[in-house]
Amino acid sequence: MLVVELFEQLKGKISGQNKVIVFPEGEDVRIQGAAVRLAAEGLIKPILLGAQKAIEATAVANNYDLSDLVIIDPATYDEKALVKLNAALVDRRKGKTDAETAAKWLADVNYFGTMLVYTGQADGMVSGATHPTGDTVRPALQIIKTAPGSSRISGAFIMQKGEARYVFSDAAINIDVDAETMAEIAVQSAKTAQVFDIEPKVAMLSFSTKGSAKSPLVDKVAEATAIAKKLAPDLADSIDGELQFDAAFVASVGEAKAPNSKVAGHANTFIFPSLEAGNIGYKIAQRLGGFEAIGPILQGLAKPVSDLSRGANEEDVYKVAIITAAQALV
């Protein structure tokens, strides 16, 4: 299966679903280029946030027709609607944020966009082309918060090369991963795999396979495996660990090291025991293995918010928006 086919599959899922995705960085040429394409193809309904004159200037300079896009300038937003957003934000924060602070937050496009998602005026948000990760993730955690059953978020990458398609997680968010965190990441990652039409076979990775080494680090992964099975009993047979990568990935090694495992040798969703392992692992696969790394895909939020790299190009924005819309279908 070619790389392009992944997005053709996702486009088929979201086409006609009328998912609304808000882009807080509407003045950026990359955002506008992707949004115009997405609207023209009928894949999503984009909302661009930002200063009206600046958005229009970018469009004119690049010959973009924004007539099929909704443009919202928070500075000139309808007063009654803004009062409602402010009240909803204060209520959501449950005493942690007063109306004055909420007004300051809503002047920030990332908070404004997050509130559009929270209040159901948008199905998801894509930001980060000109903002650091914290500016995208912080409002999402404060307002949208985590999905039922999740107490944290994590970041996965879809690794694809030819017909091969895998999930690597967590490779972006959680630095210090304990057993409970690793278990949650496993369940979140199984759901992400399903979004991409991957039937999850989840390997909880370690430097040990089924007790071949002794260490508190090994015990952590074994404990995480047990917790994950309890969190998602419907996936119990599809999660196993602790497994070394070769035991998880190579059928002959899996059969030799974990003969009773339904995952060993057949894994497609790999859960790393630390952020450093996950980050190093996906970059080795990308740079030495020639895999395309799609992500990071934020997992565990009640509604999808995606964080772009500030080095993203228009194609990256286009693809991340498609993924975000697909997440909104789940």
Side-chain angles (χ1 to χ4, degrees), residues 10-246:
L10 294 178
K11 284 158 72 172
K13 284 185 175 184
I14 68 175
S15 182
Q17 297 296 321
N18 298 316
K19 291 301 179 184
V20 178
I21 303 299
V22 59
F23 298 87
E25 299 154 328
E27 302 160 10
D28 189 278
V29 63
R30 298 163 293 173
I31 299 296
Q32 287 194 15
V36 168
R37 288 172 61 192
L38 291 158
E41 294 174 17
L43 296 175
I44 67 168
K45 294 185 174 182
I47 297 176
L48 300 185
L49 299 184
Q52 182 87 24
K53 289 184 178 179
I55 290 174
E56 291 174 352
T58 299
V60 169
N62 293 277
N63 296 313
Y64 289 143
D65 180 1
L66 304 183
S67 57
D68 290 334
L69 282 62
V70 174
I71 299 172
I72 297 176
D73 185 342
T76 59
Y77 195 56
D78 179 78
E79 187 174 348
K80 289 183 179 179
L82 188 60
V83 168
K84 287 184 179 180
L85 273 188
N86 188 297
L89 177 52
V90 171
D91 181 67
R92 180 58 167 166
R93 295 290 292 158
K94 301 186 185 302
K96 295 179 181 178
T97 302
D98 59 22
E100 182 179 356
T101 301
K104 292 179 181 177
W105 283 10
L106 288 170
D108 180 300
V109 287
N110 280 304
Y111 276 97
F112 193 99
T114 301
M115 281 303 297
L116 293 185
V117 177
Y118 173 65
T119 57
Q121 297 175 69
D123 298 294
M125 186 175 89
V126 174
S127 188
T130 61
H131 291 90
T133 294
D135 288 0
T136 301
V137 174
R138 189 180 307 108
L141 289 175
Q142 291 173 321
I143 299 167
I144 294 174
K145 302 187 180 182
T146 55
S150 291
S151 61
R152 55 186 57 79
I153 65 170
S154 60
F157 283 85
I158 302 298
M159 308 300 296
Q160 180 153 315
K161 179 182 178 183
E163 296 183 358
R165 191 184 299 174
Y166 307 106
V167 179
F168 280 24
S169 189
D170 183 352
I173 301 293
N174 295 282
I175 295 174
D176 186 17
V177 181
D178 58 17
E180 289 78 10
T181 301
M182 192 175 181
E184 276 197 32
I185 292 169
V187 175
Q188 292 170 357
S189 301
K191 293 177 181 177
T192 294
Q194 291 168 337
V195 170
F196 290 89
D197 292 328
I198 301 170
E199 187 61 36
K201 292 187 180 296
V202 183
M204 310 292 275
L205 296 178
S206 177
F207 57 86
S208 168
T209 297
K210 299 296 184 180
S212 63
K214 303 296 182 184
S215 165
L217 296 175
V218 174
D219 296 339
K220 178 188 78 172
V221 179
E223 182 184 356
T225 303
I227 295 170
K229 289 175 179 286
K230 290 180 180 179
L231 289 175
D234 56 318
L235 295 171
D237 290 338
S238 301
I239 301 173
D240 203 8
E242 85 282 2
L243 296 170
Q244 292 163 284
F245 185 83
D246 57 350

Side-chain angles (χ1 to χ4, degrees), residues 305-322:
V305 171
S306 295
D307 177 40
L308 295 163
S309 164
R310 278 175 283 177
N313 57 32
E314 178 186 311
E315 185 68 14
D316 295 328
V317 178
Y318 175 82
K319 288 180 176 179
V320 169
I322 289 172

Side-chain angles (χ1 to χ4, degrees), residues 219-282:
D219 296 339
K220 178 188 78 172
V221 179
E223 182 184 356
T225 303
I227 295 170
K229 289 175 179 286
K230 290 180 180 179
L231 289 175
D234 56 318
L235 295 171
D237 290 338
S238 301
I239 301 173
D240 203 8
E242 85 282 2
L243 296 170
Q244 292 163 284
F245 185 83
D246 57 350
F249 187 68
V250 181
S252 60
V253 179
E255 178 62 29
K257 291 189 173 184
N260 297 318
S261 174
K262 294 182 180 179
V263 173
H266 307 287
N268 52 33
T269 303
F270 301 95
I271 311 304
F272 291 85
S274 68
L275 179 61
E276 61 184 352
N279 191 270
I280 291 167
Y282 101 79

